[in-house]
């Protein structure tokens, strides 16, 4: 019996979704004249802007995201520089995530344009569901997307990338790539080692020194040798190279912190400007906390100097809060303590952590026993009325429907 | 002035008065300690004008007299001298205090004792007396609940009242109230009502030592001061001006649920919860369930943090009344459980948003009120 039960091991149905050139796709919706033109979304080259996303037409010139806008202009002189319109992006992203949540409660957004979902509970073929999700997003939000389907998050995400790359070219890929259960290792084997999670340029280099260039090479290599060379990472490498990943899709209300930061277009030591930034950031954090229905108890201030060294300090509030004033006051206090007048700042960020459900310490002096007694009496009476005459016998006037 | 003292007595006396020295005052005299030889004793005094501490040590006085010397210099020097007799003599003309002990000699430049703020002895009558140990216990059970926020100065102090033979200490910040009463051996003729700074009471508890020796508390009329006197020590301080809130009104008159449990088990539960609660919102949840049939009632103390994890501690309890779910700031809970006497303690509650009352069992001299934390918006 036990052998049999091992054979019928259940496979998870994990889908990874990536909105194709998300920022560009949104800009095209607003300005159809951009269609098929080389353009990049991001800050202007004069203000040290960085490419956040670029159209497939621009990619042909070698432009890619995270490149400086100035460099992108060099590569593609006709490049149109489209400025961020951030409000729109979050709204579109939210609409997409809402569509995903109609399929499964297990949706884990990992960025504004990417998410994992677990569809294990649904009987349908995962490929069919993936195509349906893609069609629905296209129909309702008019955005292109690519999806990867596999038995775990690692392989699903790589499948998305492979699907997109296979499409090649100069238009939105709209790819769906499925890796059937059991074929994970075979699927990964020919891919370069840096396609794997946790393999950056440095690790890839070290792997190459061992003669390991593809994921298949790593999978075939001795576990002990990998562990000896890379320690804990070696163990993960070995597992992942075989397509094994048991990490669950996390429903992400377990937000650990909410933060906001800005890189100044020019380094600044203008105290008013720094204080203004903190005020704005506190506002936006507060707004986000209220939306998440969370209170935070620790405020963090992050400063980056012109030489790119980063400095962070944090302090705990007397009471958790979601109020912009409290966050701003603490952040300004940290600025006052740790920033010397005249020192130039490149980046300024404020964050709040120690998040928890809203709570408030009640105040002793606000406590009115007489008022409490009256409320208690009222509630007891209401209960009695409801017990005697039914639940709808007494209602708040605001809840009564107009006759 | 010419006087001989034992090094260890002098070092002890200086440590007693040290906390009243005002090192950073604009008045140099306040950084000094008064050294005064009188009636076979050496008096050491320090004051920052708000708090004043005096210590008397045994001495062989050959010639009475007084001066003041910088506390830091004097204390540091004395601590390095051999534990033997120290002879001291004042050169009045230059206000220089000459010391010799074993093979060491030193001269410390002083300031005339006339410049030192006067610390007149209180008049003989009035006031109250109680044993040092009892006074220290009262302070310990109340002073932690005083506010540390200067926004409402009256709340940074402890209200001391005496009516008839009943003495009461009460302190409250915005969130909790601690009240302790004490029966004096004799009634007072005139009622006393004064707000004493927490700092003075903490210092008093530190310097009085232990035992049955009586401490006398006097409020000299018209001076806005309180003076605590023992045989060898005196602590005096300025009272906090203003009126203390009428705290009796916020002590709940009744309760819906009374939960009786072992104090140490409750305290342990609170301490465990604090490990997690301190990371986020300081919330400890108490889930109180009455017993059924042979099953005892329980209180589950729990806390959780998104970052570090969560815990639950189950404590057997006798629960009279309805089940309760209530949340408190875990530090407030821990602090009261650390000072409450008795093996068992009762927690009285009425609703999730109404104050909880902690009382030791079979002892109505102490009570503590804590406002809960409201969960959700």
């Amino acid at each position: 019996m036990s052998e049999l039960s091992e054979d019928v091991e259940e496979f998870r149905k994990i889908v990874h979704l990536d909105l194709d050139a998300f920022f560009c796709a949104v800009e095209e919706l607003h300005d159809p004249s951009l269609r098929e033109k080389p353009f990049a979304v991001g800050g202007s080259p004069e203000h040290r802007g960085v490419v956040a996303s670029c159209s497939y037409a621009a990619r042909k010139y070698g432009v890619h995201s995270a490149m400086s806008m100035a460099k992108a202009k060099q590569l593609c002189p006709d490049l149109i520089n489209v400025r961020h319109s951030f409000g729109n992006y979050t709204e579109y992203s939210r609409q997409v995530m809402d569509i995903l949540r109609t399929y499964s409660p297990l949706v884990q957004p990992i960025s504004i344009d990417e998410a994992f979902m677990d569809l294990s509970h649904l009987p349908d073929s995962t490929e069919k569901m993936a195509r349906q999700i893609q069609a629905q997003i296209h129909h309702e939000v008019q955005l292109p997307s690519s999806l990867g389907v596999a038995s775990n998050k690692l392989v699903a995400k790589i499948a998305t990338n492979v699907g997109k790359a296979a499409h090649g070219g100069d238009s939105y890929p709209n790819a769906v790539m499925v890796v059937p259960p059991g074929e994970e290792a075979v699927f990964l084997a020919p891919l370069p080692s840096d396609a794997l999670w946790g393999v950056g340029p440095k690790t890839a280099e070290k792997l190459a020194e061992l003669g390991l260039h593809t994921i298949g090479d790593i999978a075939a290599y001795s576990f002990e040798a990998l562990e000896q060379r890379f320690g804990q990472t070696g163990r993960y490498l070995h597992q992942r190279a075989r397509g094994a990943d048991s990490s669950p899709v996390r429903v992400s209300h377990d937000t650990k912190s909410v933060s906001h930061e800005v890189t100044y277009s020019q380094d600044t030591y203008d105290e008013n400007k720094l204080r203004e930034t903190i005020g704005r950031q506190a506002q936006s954090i507060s707004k986000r906390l209220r939306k998440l229905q969370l209170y935070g108890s620790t405020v963090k201030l992050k400063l980056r100097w012109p030489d790119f060294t980063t400095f962070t300090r944090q302090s705990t509030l007397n009471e958790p809060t979601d109020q912009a004033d409290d966050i701003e006051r603490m952040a300004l206090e940290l600025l006052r303590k740790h920033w010397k007048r005249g020192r130039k700042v490149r980046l300024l960020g404020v964050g709040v952590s120690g998040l928890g459900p809203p709570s408030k310490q009640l105040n002793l002096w606000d406590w009115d026993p007489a008022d409490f007694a009256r409320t208690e009496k009222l509630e007891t009476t209401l209960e009695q009325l409801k017990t005697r005459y039914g639940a709808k016998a007494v209602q708040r006037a605001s809840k009564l429907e107009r006759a | 002035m010419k006087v001989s003292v034992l090094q260890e007595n002098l070092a002890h006396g200086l440590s007693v008065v040290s906390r009243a020295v005002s090192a950073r005052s604009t008045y140099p005299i306040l950084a000094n300690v008064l050294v005064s030889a009188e009636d076979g004793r050496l008096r050491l005094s320090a004051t920052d004008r708000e708090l004043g501490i005096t210590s008397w040590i045994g001495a062989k006085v050959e010639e009475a007299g007084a001066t003041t010397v910088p506390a830091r210099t004097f204390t540091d020097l004395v601590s390095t001298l051999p534990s033997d007799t120290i002879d001291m003599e004042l050169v009045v003309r230059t206000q220089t205090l000459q010391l010799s002990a074993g093979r060491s000699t030193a001269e410390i430049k002083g300031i005339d004792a006339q410049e030192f703020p006067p610390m007149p002895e209180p008049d003989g009558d009035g006031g109250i007396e109680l044993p040092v140990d009892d006074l220290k216990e009262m302070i310990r059970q109340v002073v932690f609940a005083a506010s540390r926020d200067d926004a409402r100065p009256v709340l940074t102090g402890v209200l001391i009242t005496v009516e008839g033979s009943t003495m009461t200490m009460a302190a409250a910040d915005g969130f909790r109230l601690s009240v302790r009463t004490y029966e004096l051996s004799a009634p007072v003729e005139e009622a006393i009502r004064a707000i004493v700074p927490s700092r003075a009471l903490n210092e008093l508890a530190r310097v009085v030592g232990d035992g049955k020796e009586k401490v006398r508390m006097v409020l000299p009329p018209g001076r806005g001061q309180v003076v605590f006197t023992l045989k060898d020590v005196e602590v005096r301080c300025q009272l906090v001006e203003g009126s203390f809130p009428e705290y009796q009104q916020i002590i709940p008159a009744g309760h819906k649920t009374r939960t009786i449990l072992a104090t140490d088990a409750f305290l342990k539960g609170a301490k465990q919860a604090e490990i997690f609660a301190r990371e986020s919102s300081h919330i400890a949840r108490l889930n109180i369930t009455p017993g059924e049939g042979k099953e005892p009632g329980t209180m589950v103390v729990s806390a959780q943090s998104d970052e570090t994890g969560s815990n639950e501690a189950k404590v057997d309890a006798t629960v009279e009344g309805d089940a309760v779910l209530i949340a408190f700031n875990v530090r407030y809970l821990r602090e009261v459980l650390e000072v409450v006497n008795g093996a068992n303690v009762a927690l009285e509650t009425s609703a999730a948003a109404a104050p909880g009352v902690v009382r030791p069992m079979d002892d109505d001299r102490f009570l503590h009120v804590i406002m809960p934390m409201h969960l959700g918006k």
Side-chain angles (χ1 to χ4, degrees):
Chain A
M1 272 307 279
S2 68
E3 276 172 31
L4 187 68
S5 67
E6 266 174 36
D7 281 347
V8 288
E9 190 184 343
E10 289 263 330
F11 291 102
R12 290 188 296 159
K13 298 175 178 174
I14 307 294
V15 174
H16 173 258
L17 172 130
D18 190 1
L19 293 166
D20 297 330
F22 173 58
F23 294 112
C24 290
V26 171
E27 294 305 332
E28 273 190 32
L29 285 181
H30 285 263
D31 180 1
S33 76
L34 287 170
R35 211 163 277 166
E36 287 170 24
K37 293 210 177 108
F39 70 96
V41 179
S44 72
E46 295 79 37
H47 291 93
R48 298 198 293 208
V50 167
V51 175
S53 174
C54 55
S55 69
Y56 283 88
R59 291 180 196 203
K60 280 195 294 192
Y61 294 88
V63 177
H64 57 79
S65 56
M67 172 182 276
S68 79
M69 196 58 84
K71 177 87 189 290
K73 277 270 193 190
Q74 273 174 20
L75 290 172
C76 174
D78 294 335
L79 190 75
I80 304 165
N81 180 198
V82 179
R83 306 301 294 274
H84 280 283
S85 53
F86 210 82
N88 279 330
Y89 304 143
T90 22
E91 180 52 28
Y92 281 104
S93 173
R94 196 186 56 75
Q95 288 181 27
V96 171
M97 300 301 169
D98 285 349
I99 291 175
L100 301 187
R101 288 192 186 97
T102 61
Y103 288 82
S104 168
L106 291 175
V107 173
Q108 178 184 8
I110 46 180
S111 69
I112 195 164
D113 56 358
E114 247 186 291
F116 284 113
M117 53 194 306
D118 188 334
L119 302 179
S120 306
H121 60 294
L122 297 175
D124 298 334
S125 122
T126 327
E127 178 171 358
K128 197 178 130 203
M129 288 190 288
R131 294 207 183 277
Q132 195 182 330
I133 292 166
Q134 187 183 50
Q136 193 180 342
I137 293 172
H138 185 79
H139 180 71
E140 292 180 15
V141 199
Q142 280 96 47
L143 286 176
S145 59
S146 291
L147 294 87
V149 176
S151 64
N152 63 51
K153 284 160 75 176
L154 167 77
V155 180
K157 184 170 160 72
I158 296 175
T160 307
N161 295 339
V162 170
K164 281 187 171 195
H167 171 81
D170 40 14
S171 61
Y172 296 111
N174 280 306
V176 173
M177 168 68 84
V178 181
V179 180
E183 291 178 25
E184 294 85 358
V186 179
F187 166 75
L188 295 178
L191 301 174
S193 63
D194 65 359
L196 217 50
W197 278 354
V199 178
K202 279 193 184 147
T203 312
E205 215 172 277
K206 286 181 195 163
L207 287 166
E209 284 167 17
L210 297 173
L212 309 178
H213 301 281
T214 65
I215 297 179
D217 292 344
I218 304 172
Y221 202 66
S222 123
F223 171 71
E224 286 75 18
L226 276 177
E227 197 186 18
Q228 204 181 351
R229 182 79 176 81
F230 297 98
Q232 177 82 28
T233 312
R235 243 167 286 159
Y236 292 138
L237 278 175
H238 184 79
Q239 280 174 12
R240 289 178 187 161
R242 287 156 184 259
D245 168 36
S246 59
S247 63
V249 172
R250 282 180 212 283
V251 181
S252 67
H253 61 240
D254 52 344
T255 311
K256 295 245 190 317
S257 68
V258 174
S259 61
H260 206 282
E261 51 187 60
V262 64
T263 303
Y264 291 109
S265 53
Q266 278 179 340
D267 300 340
T268 184
Y269 53 80
D270 179 349
E271 182 170 0
N272 287 333
K273 198 166 174 183
L274 296 174
R275 296 175 72 98
E276 261 172 47
T277 307
I278 287 177
R280 266 201 319 276
Q281 291 174 335
Q283 291 284 353
S284 92
I285 290 169
S286 161
K287 203 169 149 192
R288 178 116 183 88
L289 285 175
R290 277 178 277 142
K291 205 165 170 187
L292 291 166
Q293 300 209 332
L294 290 172
Y295 273 31
S297 58
T298 302
V299 175
K300 187 176 85 178
L301 179 74
K302 178 173 173 184
L303 294 167
R304 184 168 292 152
W305 314 117
D307 65 1
F308 280 86
T309 53
T310 305
F311 170 93
T312 59
R313 281 292 181 281
Q314 59 181 44
S315 190
T316 300
L317 296 156
N318 287 333
E319 257 202 89
T321 189
D322 63 354
Q323 294 298 304
D325 283 357
D326 298 333
I327 299 164
E328 181 181 356
R329 202 175 310 123
M330 185 58 88
L332 286 175
E333 172 80 19
L334 287 166
L335 182 76
R336 194 182 60 72
K337 274 194 198 155
H338 301 291
W339 174 72
K340 246 201 231 143
R341 281 219 172 81
R343 180 152 193 193
K344 281 193 173 179
V345 175
R346 179 183 168 85
L347 172 149
L348 174 64
V350 175
V352 169
S353 60
L355 303 183
S359 62
K360 184 170 169 38
Q361 170 66 56
L362 301 175
N363 194 302
L364 207 51
W365 310 119
D366 296 339
W367 163 246
D368 181 350
D371 189 42
F372 178 74
R374 276 193 299 274
T375 315
E376 286 276 283
K377 202 172 163 197
L378 176 67
E379 276 176 11
T380 318
T381 314
L382 288 177
E383 274 312 306
Q384 285 167 351
L385 285 172
K386 283 178 187 173
T387 321
R388 268 172 92 171
Y389 302 108
K392 290 203 172 168
V394 204
Q395 289 182 59
R396 283 189 185 278
S398 58
K399 285 197 178 161
L400 289 176
E401 283 173 33
R402 276 169 200 275
Chain B
M1 182 181 81
K2 197 171 176 192
V3 64
S4 304
V5 291
L6 282 175
Q7 184 270 347
E8 59 190 70
N9 289 348
L10 185 55
H12 174 73
L14 286 171
S15 83
V16 166
V17 303
S18 63
R19 301 279 186 99
V21 174
S22 173
R24 279 184 293 277
S25 169
T26 45
Y27 301 98
I29 191 81
L30 298 184
N32 280 16
V33 52
L34 176 75
V35 183
S36 170
E38 50 196 39
D39 308 335
R41 295 200 297 181
L42 186 70
R43 171 183 164 185
L44 303 166
S45 290
T47 179
D48 59 10
R49 284 180 195 272
E50 186 187 282
L51 175 70
I53 306 180
T54 297
S55 167
W56 287 273
I57 58 173
K60 205 174 102 193
V61 179
E62 280 181 41
E63 195 187 317
T67 188
T68 75
V69 284
R72 173 110 191 267
T73 311
F74 195 29
T75 308
D76 288 354
L77 176 70
V78 170
S79 70
T80 62
L81 293 177
S83 58
D84 200 346
T85 305
I86 301 175
D87 298 317
M88 296 190 287
E89 189 170 355
L90 175 70
V91 180
V92 178
R93 193 180 52 83
T94 57
Q95 289 294 319
T96 304
L97 187 65
Q98 298 178 329
L99 289 91
S100 71
R103 302 165 77 173
S104 306
T105 61
E107 293 192 340
I108 304 178
K109 292 176 180 167
I111 304 175
D112 196 315
Q114 298 290 327
E115 314 253 326
F116 201 76
M119 296 169 79
E121 294 213 7
D123 300 337
D125 32 306
I128 56 162
E129 277 194 344
L130 71 160
V132 161
D133 281 350
D134 293 346
L135 179 71
K136 276 172 79 169
E137 184 179 85
M138 290 181 82
I139 294 172
R140 191 174 73 95
Q141 291 186 325
V142 169
V143 75
F144 69 95
S147 172
R148 289 175 184 85
D149 180 358
D150 291 329
R152 273 184 90 179
V154 288
L155 297 183
T156 64
V158 171
L159 177 70
I160 300 181
T161 55
V162 185
E163 275 174 54
S165 60
T166 304
M167 174 180 181
T168 308
M169 279 195 193
D173 55 18
F175 315 113
R176 54 199 169 149
L177 163 73
S178 213
V179 185
R180 168 67 205 265
T181 59
Y182 183 82
E183 281 307 307
L184 296 166
S185 53
V188 290
E189 285 171 16
E190 225 175 306
I192 294 174
R193 188 179 174 89
I195 306 169
V196 181
S198 309
R199 176 179 163 229
L201 293 176
N202 281 325
E203 287 307 318
L204 179 65
R206 181 181 71 90
V207 301
V208 290
D210 300 304
K212 297 277 167 230
E213 191 195 338
K214 294 244 172 144
V215 54
R216 188 161 152 258
M217 181 182 99
V218 182
L219 287 94
R223 291 225 301 262
Q225 270 191 346
V226 61
V227 185
F228 296 92
T229 321
L230 290 93
K231 191 159 60 53
D232 296 329
V233 180
E234 182 211 271
V235 174
R236 64 173 64 203
C237 78
Q238 293 303 123
L239 299 173
V240 182
E241 285 176 26
S243 64
F244 201 85
E246 291 301 327
Y247 65 84
Q248 284 88 351
Q249 291 172 4
I250 51 176
I251 300 173
H255 59 264
K256 283 192 174 164
T257 306
R258 183 173 155 94
T259 308
I260 300 156
L261 66 172
T263 312
D264 58 348
F266 194 180
L267 176 58
K268 263 185 202 153
K271 282 182 170 172
Q272 280 172 21
E274 192 169 13
I275 296 169
F276 294 94
R278 70 184 175 209
E279 297 297 328
S280 53
S281 38
H282 304 287
I283 301 166
R285 284 182 173 75
L286 305 183
N287 195 348
I288 298 167
T289 319
E292 252 182 86
K294 282 184 180 167
E295 285 295 302
T298 54
M299 173 193 279
V300 175
V301 186
S302 65
Q304 65 175 55
S305 154
D306 282 355
E307 274 141 62
T308 51
S310 62
N311 84 304
E312 264 190 28
K314 200 180 224 179
V315 183
D316 283 345
T318 304
V319 182
E320 301 162 358
D322 304 340
V324 186
L325 182 60
I326 193 165
F328 290 107
N329 180 316
V330 69
R331 179 163 69 84
Y332 298 166
L333 213 49
R334 193 232 324 134
E335 286 182 343
V336 60
L337 294 171
E338 278 173 344
V339 302
V340 68
N341 287 330
N344 293 300
V345 69
L347 171 70
E348 297 168 357
T349 47
S350 292
V357 182
V358 175
R359 303 174 192 267
M361 286 302 288
D362 311 317
D363 182 355
D364 57 5
R365 294 174 304 171
F366 177 71
L367 82 85
H368 191 87
V369 181
I370 318 181
M371 280 309 279
M373 291 185 81
H374 179 65
L375 305 181
K377 293 221 180 185

